[in-house]
Amino acid sequence: MDFFARIGQRIKRMDTVLCIGLDPAFSKADIEKQGKTGCARIALERNLRIIEATSPYAAAFKPNIAFYEALGEPGMATLRETLHSIPDDIPVIIDAKRGDISNTAEAYAQALFGELGADAVTLSPYMGLDTLEPFLQWEGRGIFVLCRTSNPGAGFLQDIAVNDRPLYLEVVKQCAALPNEVGLVVAGNDLEALRSVRQAAPSAWFLSPGIGAQGGQADQAFALGARDDGRGILVVVARAIADAPAPSEAARGLRDVMRRARDVRTTAEKALRADIEHKELSALKRDFVHALLSTGCFRLGEFILKSGKKSPFYIDLRRLVADPQAMKIAGRAYALLASECRYDSIAGIPAAGLPLATVASLETQKPMIWPRMPVKEHGTGNRIEGSYAAGECALLLDDLITTGASKIEAIDILRSEGLRVDDLVVLIERGKEGRLDMERAGVRLHAFMHVLELFDVLRQSGEIDEQQYRKLVEFTTNT
């Protein structure tokens, strides 16, 4: 499996983005006193204790190879034993920061991927992106390219302007152009860099060190570095866990801090999206009402209905076809309603529903069919026009609904041909009877606007006064 797919699965399954560093540091004096073998033994005991205590909270482990190389062969033996002790379902990233010409890079790749069995490594791009190629040839392995590092002097080279942007953002651009997916090392203690790189690389994976001893905060790093899906980042913590009295508690606490940061961000984003959607919907409804007025689809006066009753208003949505812009607005309204439904095709009800179904089909990119009403007695005798298959679901569409009579006739035709009809979408709903008829037919009704809401928009926009509004509402609620 691809490394980034594997790390994504681990994060999803364990709900953690914590990457735990295994960096057993010994001073020169420690090594002289304990000896390399003694230090290596202490390092192994410490690593095994950390791995056992923190595995439930780890998305990955990251040993820095320098601390093991410093102890010579005993240190490398400790590294191999450490890697062997990490559970198979937890990916391992060896922090090596390698980067060299082709044949040397091939040797580094063999050493890290072949001999040590790392799942991923960190690499330096300073000698050029061709130095990455030997590592990218290893199937199923991952690389993280140094982009913005966590050390205080990082800006000495990384802030140099290249093509009107800092060098570290140029690295982002060049890595994005590679044929293989690569991750980026982006300092967790540099919030501006996290924000800038995430903006430049919305889908990239970040490896973000610098938390704890280097001043970074896990929740802030997550908030600015995570992708929109709450993943795409591994927040690295080493000393704050290894030096804690209870590494398990420290790891769990860090995991939970980042979970809360995710939940806060998710809640804020949902509220923002809801606000935006509400404003967009309100604007679309205002545009729709304006289209009704400009095309003469809605008129005030005294009109004799089919039932013989006198109505103070009249709605005729067939006039929408006179204005292409009005039809476009209708298409957007239907697409919004359709987004709440599962269906294979749009079934327009003749005759008023056919041009509207056409614009809805274009807006949603779904095929259109329509039932013959009345049934065709000549030619092929088709009951339904268009391409469909039994078992598929048709989204029924009409201009408005007052009662369900014509809708039920269309539903019966569609269902008789083996199609499922679960939902009906209309632009305007009048009264209550149509909704009740649809419930009895086992069909969910989705109306873009109830006629009472239409009256309210007209009043707010000044198209009708308070007296007219009350008259319209009274007529509608009493019929």
Side-chain angles (χ1 to χ4, degrees), residues 298-305 309-315 430 455 464 468-476 479:
F298 179 85
R299 286 178 286 171
L300 297 173
E302 187 174 284
F303 305 91
I304 305 298
L305 301 179
K309 294 181 179 179
K310 292 182 179 180
S311 171
F313 69 94
Y314 187 71
I315 300 175
R430 292 185 60 161
F455 300 154
I464 59 174
Q468 289 173 306
Y469 172 75
R470 287 198 298 268
K471 181 178 180 182
L472 294 171
V473 171
E474 182 180 1
F475 173 83
T476 301
T479 55

Side-chain angles (χ1 to χ4, degrees), residues 63-197:
N64 188 313
I65 198 170
F67 296 108
Y68 303 91
E69 292 175 332
L71 301 177
E73 181 52 38
M76 294 305 296
T78 287
L79 176 57
R80 286 189 285 271
E81 185 63 27
T82 296
L83 297 175
H84 181 72
S85 69
I86 295 173
D88 292 340
D89 62 335
I90 304 179
V92 176
I93 304 164
I94 291 185
D95 193 355
K97 301 181 178 68
R98 302 298 196 224
D100 215 319
I101 61 173
S102 59
N103 61 340
T104 308
E106 288 174 5
Y108 279 139
Q110 177 61 38
L112 295 165
F113 289 151
E115 293 301 312
L116 293 175
D119 297 301
V121 296
T122 60
L123 301 176
S124 171
Y126 187 71
M127 291 182 65
L129 297 186
D130 58 314
T131 62
L132 311 180
E133 293 174 4
F135 294 87
L136 294 173
Q137 291 174 5
W138 284 74
E139 188 175 350
R141 309 302 174 96
I143 67 171
F144 288 91
V145 175
L146 299 184
C147 175
R148 182 65 175 190
T149 55
S150 58
N151 56 304
F156 170 66
L157 287 178
Q158 295 165 20
D159 284 342
I160 292 175
V162 178
N163 296 328
D164 297 323
R165 63 174 65 88
L167 176 61
Y168 74 90
L169 290 180
E170 181 66 18
V171 170
V172 176
K173 178 184 177 182
Q174 296 298 329
C175 286
L178 292 171
N180 304 74
E181 181 178 13
V182 302
L184 299 168
V185 176
V186 186
N189 58 354
D190 189 334
L191 301 184
E192 181 55 37
L194 280 167
R195 183 186 295 108
S196 298
V197 178

